[in-house]
Amino acid sequence: LPTPPARLPYVPHVPPMALLGKVTATTFALERPLCVFDGHADASDAVWLAVAFANASATFRNPRSRAEVPPYKQLPTARSYMTLETAAATYSCSAPSPPVLRVGGDTACRDQGRQDPCNGPLPSPGPYRVKFLLMGCSGPKAETRWSEPILLRRAVSPGTIDPAPTRRGSDVVVIASILASLGAVLATAVLGALGVKAWGSLCRQDLGTDAFTRRSYRTHHIPPVLPRPPPPGCGCSPPGLC
């Protein structure tokens, strides 16, 4: 009997960091299993990803050789397949590699009739469960645990979109614009009225109290006129006595 593969404690998972398109309607991202197979893999070994519907993962059976790997096109009937064949050295601790894998990213798989592994788009929201499997020339050597169920996003049918909210939103924008315009006109009128009133007050002040104050100010500071001395002889009477 073949030796059963080693059970590794690693659990595949969607990366926790913010990532554009981390889960879509047909794909999802997985964190790479770096350092997971060190000590178990040889240079000629490969790591595969097994993908199964969550309710079918318990019945999945590891293939005994590469020829028995379940292909992508059998997913609707077999409820599972294997993909992303990668040299084990790619996942070693010392190997530089991108931080994530994308499951379902090869759109060309839909039109290909080939038997080789394919990473095609997932046909439904799932949920799915995945595990990594290390395979050598004599069959499986090590495997990870199954992931938690991964549910994809559901695509919204265009026929179910209600256009009414869009119309209401447009009406609100129009009403808000009209109110803003009326508010601007009203503010301009109020400021104009206040300006006219202030200008009239200043004019009345300049023509009334202020003018009187300036005249009084000048009059108050003008010294009084002293009597001029009479010309010589003007005060003698009769003439010739002075």
Side-chain angles (χ1 to χ4, degrees):
L1 294 176
T3 304
R7 297 293 300 275
L8 306 179
Y10 179 79
V11 178
H13 57 274
V14 176
M17 68 276 201
L19 184 66
L20 184 64
K22 182 163 57 175
V23 177
T24 69
T26 58
T27 68
F28 62 89
L30 276 181
E31 193 169 79
R32 283 179 175 264
L34 299 179
C35 306
V36 173
F37 300 102
D38 288 6
H40 299 273
D42 295 328
S44 59
D45 295 343
V47 175
W48 291 75
L49 179 71
V51 183
F53 284 100
N55 58 4
S57 60
T59 59
F60 179 85
R61 295 293 179 264
N62 293 331
R64 291 174 296 181
S65 65
R66 191 182 188 281
E68 295 181 3
V69 167
Y72 163 77
K73 66 178 182 178
Q74 293 184 3
L75 174 61
T77 55
R79 310 293 288 171
S80 61
Y81 72 104
M82 290 175 60
T83 185
L84 295 177
E85 180 184 14
T86 306
T90 304
Y91 296 140
S92 66
C93 294
S94 59
S97 60
V100 297
L101 301 169
R102 174 138 327 254
V103 182
D106 188 0
T107 57
C109 290
R110 291 176 174 174
D111 302 324
Q112 294 175 351
R114 62 187 185 186
Q115 296 295 323
D116 58 324
C118 187
N119 184 29
L122 298 169
S124 70
Y128 300 92
R129 300 181 75 180
V130 299
K131 72 173 181 178
F132 289 99
L133 181 64
L134 175 68
M135 292 189 63
C137 297
S138 58
K141 298 176 64 175
E143 63 180 349
T144 68
R145 298 181 181 273
W146 285 100
S147 70
E148 294 296 323
I150 300 172
L151 182 65
L152 304 187
R153 296 183 181 274
R154 295 182 181 273
V156 178
S157 174
T160 63
I161 300 176
D162 182 13
T166 304
R167 292 196 299 269
R168 287 195 294 270
S170 301
D171 294 341
V172 170
V173 171
V174 172
I175 293 173
S177 301
I178 294 174
L179 291 177
S181 301
L182 291 177
V185 172
L186 181 60
T188 303
V190 171
L191 292 175
L194 292 175
V196 171
K197 184 176 180 179
W199 178 257
S201 176
L202 291 174
C203 290
R204 287 194 299 272
Q205 183 180 2
D206 184 66
L207 294 177
T209 306
D210 190 62
F212 176 78
T213 301
R214 287 200 298 271
R215 286 196 299 272
S216 300
Y217 180 82
R218 289 195 298 271
T219 302
H220 178 74
H221 288 83
I222 294 175
V225 179
L226 298 177
R228 299 176 62 185
C234 292
C236 297
S237 180
L241 296 180
C242 298

